[in-house]
C-alpha cells in the first residue's frame, strides 16, 4: 500500500469520504474524485485542500489510479467508475475499509495507535473534541471527523505526524448491496469510546439486540493493551461490559461509574461541569458549547486523554479550544427580527429532545420555533411513535414539520410521510404545522 501514489474517490463529497481525501492529499498522494453537482457541507473543506471534484460519474474520470475508494451511496460497487476500475484491475475498497487501512498506518508506511469513537449519538462531536484536545497539546494526531467543518481544527480530516489516529466509527453497513459488514468492524483501535446505544438504521438492524450485537463484536477488535471507554449510564452498554473480557472504564452521571459527571451548568453558549473519580475531584471544566450531552461527550474525552498521559490542566485547555462542529447546534446568525437561528443534524427522537432541552436551558424565556425535516422513510416509519413524542415537555415550542428527506439508499414509502407525522404530533401538542417544501418553510 505504501507504494501507491494516486487515489481516486468515488463520492468524494460525502462526510465520510472528504476527510479521507484530505488526509491522502496531505500525506502526498495525488487525489482525484467525483460526485454529484449538489452542494455539500464538505465543499469548502475540499476546496481549501486543493481538491476539485469531477461533476457526475464517468469512466473517463477514473484514469489509472493505484487505488479507488468508493462510497456505499451512488450505486456503491455498481457505480460506473467502480465497474471501470475493476475492469482495469485497479484495487477498489469502500470508505469503511479505507478508514481501517488509514488507521492501521500501512498506507503511509508507519504504525499509529487508533482511537475509535462510536455510538448512536454524539460520535461526531466527541471525535472532534478529542482531535482538538490532542491538537492543542501539540500531539499532531491524524483524524477523520464525519462533518464538513470543525471550528477548532483546519479541516475535518488531517494527516498528522503524531502517534494517534482518531476516527469516527460508523455503525452503518459497508456497502448496502454486496457487503453488509458493519463499517466500524474494519477498525482495530487501541482505544474505543462507546457514547450510547439506541435503535437506529432499521434498514440495517432488525432489532435493538442486533445493534448491541454489532457493538459487542466491535469490542473484539480493541487491542488487549488498550481499553474500552463507555457511558456506564446506558442500559445497552451495561449489557456489553458485563460480557466483555476487555478492560473497560465507565463514565457518566451515576455514582457507580469510574468517572462521574457532576454539577453541570449551562450559561449562555457555554457549559461548565465537574469531574470526580474514586473520591478524587478534578475540578471544574469548561466548554464553549451548550448541553449536558456535550458535557458527557467531554467526559469521555477526559478519560481517554488521561489514559494517554495528558495532565488535567492540558485537557482543560484543550476542551476550551473546542468551538463545536458544523450542523451540531451550529449558530447560523440572527434574522432581521432578531431571532437566533441554529442548525442541528438531530435525526433521531433522542437527539431532538436533547437539542430542544439544551436550547430551552440556554434561552429559558424565549419562544422556540423548531423546523424538523425527517430523514429517511425507514427511520421515520419504525420510530414513528417516538418521533411524535419527541417535541413534548418543551414549553413555548412551535413545530414545523416538512416532507421526509430520503436517502439515496432507499425507495419512497407512501405509508409514512411528514404530513402524517405532523398529524400525529398534534395529538399531544397543539402548536404544530406541516409545510412540505423547505423553500415554503422559509416563506411561511
Amino acid at each position: 500500500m505504501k507504494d501507491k501514489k494516486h487515489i481516486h474517490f468515488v463520492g468524494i463529497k460525502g462526510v465520510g469520504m472528504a476527510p479521507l481525501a484530505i488526509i491522502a492529499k496531505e500525506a502526498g498522494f495525488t487525489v482525484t474524485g467525483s460526485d454529484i453537482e449538489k452542494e455539500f457541507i464538505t465543499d469548502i473543506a475540499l476546496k481549501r485542500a486543493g481538491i476539485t471534484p469531477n461533476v457526475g460519474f464517468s469512466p473517463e474520470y477514473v484514469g489509472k489510479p493505484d487505488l479507488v475508494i468508493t462510497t456505499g451511496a451512488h450505486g456503491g460497487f455498481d457505480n460506473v467508475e467502480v465497474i471501470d476500475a475493476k475492469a482495469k484491475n485497479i484495487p477498489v475498497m469502500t470508505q469503511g475499509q479505507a478508514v481501517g487501512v488509514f488507521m492501521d498506518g500501512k498506507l503511509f508506511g508507519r504504525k499509529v495507535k487508533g482511537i475509535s469513537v462510536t455510538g448512536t449519538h454524539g460520535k461526531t462531536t466527541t471525535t472532534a473534541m478529542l482531535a482538538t484536545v490532542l491538537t492543542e497539546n501539540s500531539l499532531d494526531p491524524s483524524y477523520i471527523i464525519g462533518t464538513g467543518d470543525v471550528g477548532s481544527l483546519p479541516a475535518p480530516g488531517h494527516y498528522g505526524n503524531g502517534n494517534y489516529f482518531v476516527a469516527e466509527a460508523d455503525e452503518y453497513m459497508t456497502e448496502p448491496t454486496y457487503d453488509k459488514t458493519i463499517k466500524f468492524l474494519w477498525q482495530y483501535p487501541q482505544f474505543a469510546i462507546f457514547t450510547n446505544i439506541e435503535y437506529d438504521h432499521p434498514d440495517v438492524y432488525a432489532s435493538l439486540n442486533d445493534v448491541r450485537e454489532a457493538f459487542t463484536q466491535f469490542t473484539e477488535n480493541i487491542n488487549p493493551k488498550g481499553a474500552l471507554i463507555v457511558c456506564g449510564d446506558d442500559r445497552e452498554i451495561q449489557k456489553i461490559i458485563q460480557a466483555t473480557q476487555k478492560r473497560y472504564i465507565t463514565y457518566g452521571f451515576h455514582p457507580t461509574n469510574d468517572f462521574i459527571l457532576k454539577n453541570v451548568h449551562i450559561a449562555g453558549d457555554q457549559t461548565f461541569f465537574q469531574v470526580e473519580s474514586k473520591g478524587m475531584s478534578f475540578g471544574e471544566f469548561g466548554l464553549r458549547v451548550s448541553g449536558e450531552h456535550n458535557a458527557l461527550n467531554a467526559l469521555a474525552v477526559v478519560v481517554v486523554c488521561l489514559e494517554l498521559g495528558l495532565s488535567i490542566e492540558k485537557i482543560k485547555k484543550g476542551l476550551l479550544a473546542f468551538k463545536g462542529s458544523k450542523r451540531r447546534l451550529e449558530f447560523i446568525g440572527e434574522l432581521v427580527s432578531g431571532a437566533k437561528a441554529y442548525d442541528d443534524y438531530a435525526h433521531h427522537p433522542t437527539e431532538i429532545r436533547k437539542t430542544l432541552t439544551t436550547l430551552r436551558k440556554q434561552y429559558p424565556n424565549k419562544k422556540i420555533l423548531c423546523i424538523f425535516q425527517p430523514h429517511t422513510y425507514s427511520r421515520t416509519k419504525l420510530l414513528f411513535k417516538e418521533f411524535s413524542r419527541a417535541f413534548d415537555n418543551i414549553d413555548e415550542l412551535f413545530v414545523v414539520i416538512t416532507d421526509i428527506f430520503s436517502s439515496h439508499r432507499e425507495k419512497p414509502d407512501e405509508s409514512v410521510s411528514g404530513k402524517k407525522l405532523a398529524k400525529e404530533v398534534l395529538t399531544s401538542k397543539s402548536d404544530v404545522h406541516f409545510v412540505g417544501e423547505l423553500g415554503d418553510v422559509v416563506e411561511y
Side-chain angles (χ1 to χ4, degrees):
M1 296 299 295
K2 64 182 179 182
D3 296 325
K4 298 187 183 302
K5 305 299 180 185
H6 176 193
I7 304 177
H8 181 76
F9 292 82
V10 182
I12 195 170
K13 291 185 179 183
V15 292
M17 294 286 280
L20 286 172
I22 293 169
I23 288 174
K25 183 74 181 291
E26 290 184 355
F29 289 80
T30 297
V31 171
T32 56
S34 306
D35 215 312
I36 59 177
E37 187 175 9
K38 180 182 175 181
E39 182 179 347
F40 279 61
I41 64 171
T42 58
D43 285 354
I44 294 176
L46 288 171
K47 185 176 181 180
R48 286 175 181 167
I51 300 170
T52 304
N54 297 303
V55 179
F57 302 100
S58 170
E60 297 178 5
Y61 296 150
V62 178
K64 295 183 179 180
D66 298 296
L67 174 67
V68 169
I69 298 176
T70 184
T71 175
H74 306 300
F77 287 147
D78 287 329
N79 185 285
V80 292
E81 295 189 0
V82 176
I83 293 172
D84 181 70
K86 288 185 175 181
K88 295 174 180 175
N89 292 318
I90 298 169
V92 175
M93 68 172 62
T94 62
Q95 184 271 344
Q97 289 174 287
V99 175
V101 170
F102 279 37
M103 175 182 282
D104 185 79
K106 289 180 181 177
L107 188 66
F108 312 111
R110 64 188 181 88
K111 193 71 176 176
V112 292
K113 293 179 180 179
I115 306 172
S116 299
V117 183
T118 191
T120 309
H121 321 296
K123 52 184 173 285
T124 299
T125 298
T126 307
T127 307
M129 278 186 185
L130 179 55
T132 297
V133 174
L134 298 181
T135 300
E136 283 295 310
N137 285 286
S138 304
L139 294 175
D140 195 20
S142 299
Y143 50 79
I144 294 173
I145 305 166
T147 186
D149 180 60
V150 178
S152 53
L153 298 168
H158 173 60
Y159 174 69
N161 292 311
N163 295 324
Y164 302 109
F165 194 106
V166 184
E168 184 172 336
D170 193 351
E171 73 275 24
Y172 199 73
M173 55 188 158
T174 297
E175 206 276 357
T177 303
Y178 300 102
D179 189 349
K180 299 184 184 299
T181 303
I182 302 306
K183 284 185 180 183
F184 56 37
L185 294 178
W186 298 103
Q187 300 180 29
Y188 289 82
Q190 185 89 2
F191 296 95
I193 295 173
F194 287 7
T195 58
N196 43 61
I197 297 175
E198 276 199 270
Y199 189 34
D200 197 7
H201 302 302
D203 54 334
V204 181
Y205 302 101
S207 67
L208 178 57
N209 286 340
D210 290 343
V211 180
R212 187 181 66 253
E213 283 302 314
F215 279 81
T216 300
Q217 189 176 351
F218 185 33
T219 65
E220 298 302 314
N221 290 11
I222 300 170
N223 191 306
K225 296 181 180 179
L228 175 63
I229 290 90
V230 298
C231 181
D233 298 342
D234 188 280
R235 291 183 180 179
E236 297 304 315
I237 287 178
Q238 289 171 10
K239 295 175 184 177
I240 289 177
I241 60 177
Q242 287 171 6
T244 187
Q245 300 299 313
K246 296 296 172 76
R247 183 169 75 93
Y248 63 85
I249 304 168
T250 60
Y251 68 90
F253 286 97
H254 199 275
T256 57
N257 286 299
D258 297 316
F259 287 82
I260 306 165
L261 187 65
K262 305 190 75 173
N263 301 325
V264 179
H265 173 63
I266 298 172
D269 58 358
Q270 297 184 76
T271 303
F272 300 92
F273 61 94
Q274 294 178 336
V275 177
E276 288 186 5
S277 178
K278 299 176 182 177
M280 180 189 305
S281 174
F282 293 106
E284 187 172 72
F285 294 71
L287 291 171
R288 291 195 174 105
V289 291
S290 295
E292 285 188 352
H293 60 294
N294 279 322
L296 262 180
N297 294 335
L299 183 52
V301 172
V302 171
V303 176
V304 173
C305 289
L306 287 173
E307 285 288 304
L308 300 182
L310 270 68
S311 70
I312 287 294
E313 292 309 312
K314 286 184 176 180
I315 297 171
K316 288 181 178 180
K317 182 193 81 169
L319 287 174
L320 272 176
F322 180 68
K323 301 174 183 176
S325 303
K326 194 166 187 62
R327 300 209 67 200
R328 270 66 181 181
L329 206 54
E330 177 190 6
F331 178 62
I332 302 300
E334 289 192 1
L335 307 182
V336 176
S337 64
K340 296 179 184 294
Y342 287 84
D343 184 23
D344 195 281
Y345 183 58
H347 57 281
H348 186 281
T350 298
E351 294 168 343
I352 293 169
R353 283 192 294 271
K354 287 181 178 179
T355 298
L356 292 175
T357 299
T358 297
L359 286 170
R360 173 49 68 225
K361 289 182 178 180
Q362 190 173 350
Y363 300 106
N365 301 314
K366 296 284 187 180
K367 293 181 179 179
I368 298 175
L369 166 61
C370 172
I371 301 165
F372 175 59
Q373 181 185 44
H375 185 219
T376 76
Y377 289 95
S378 56
R379 180 185 289 114
T380 307
K381 184 174 183 177
L382 198 76
L383 301 177
F384 191 81
K385 289 185 178 179
E386 290 84 352
F387 275 118
S388 70
R389 303 306 302 270
F391 309 94
D392 292 358
N393 304 321
I394 305 294
D395 296 329
E396 294 293 314
L397 173 68
F398 187 81
V399 182
V400 173
I401 295 177
T402 77
D403 284 326
I404 295 171
F405 179 76
S406 178
S407 166
H408 290 291
R409 301 183 292 253
E410 66 176 4
K411 296 179 180 179
D413 184 345
E414 293 183 0
S415 68
V416 65
S417 67
K419 190 171 185 177
K420 290 180 179 179
L421 178 59
K423 184 177 180 180
E424 185 67 23
V425 175
L426 269 171
T427 61
S428 60
K429 193 167 192 66
S430 59
D431 294 333
V432 181
H433 193 74
F434 172 75
V435 182
E437 297 293 329
L438 291 182
D440 292 336
V441 171
V442 175
E443 187 68 23
Y444 175 83

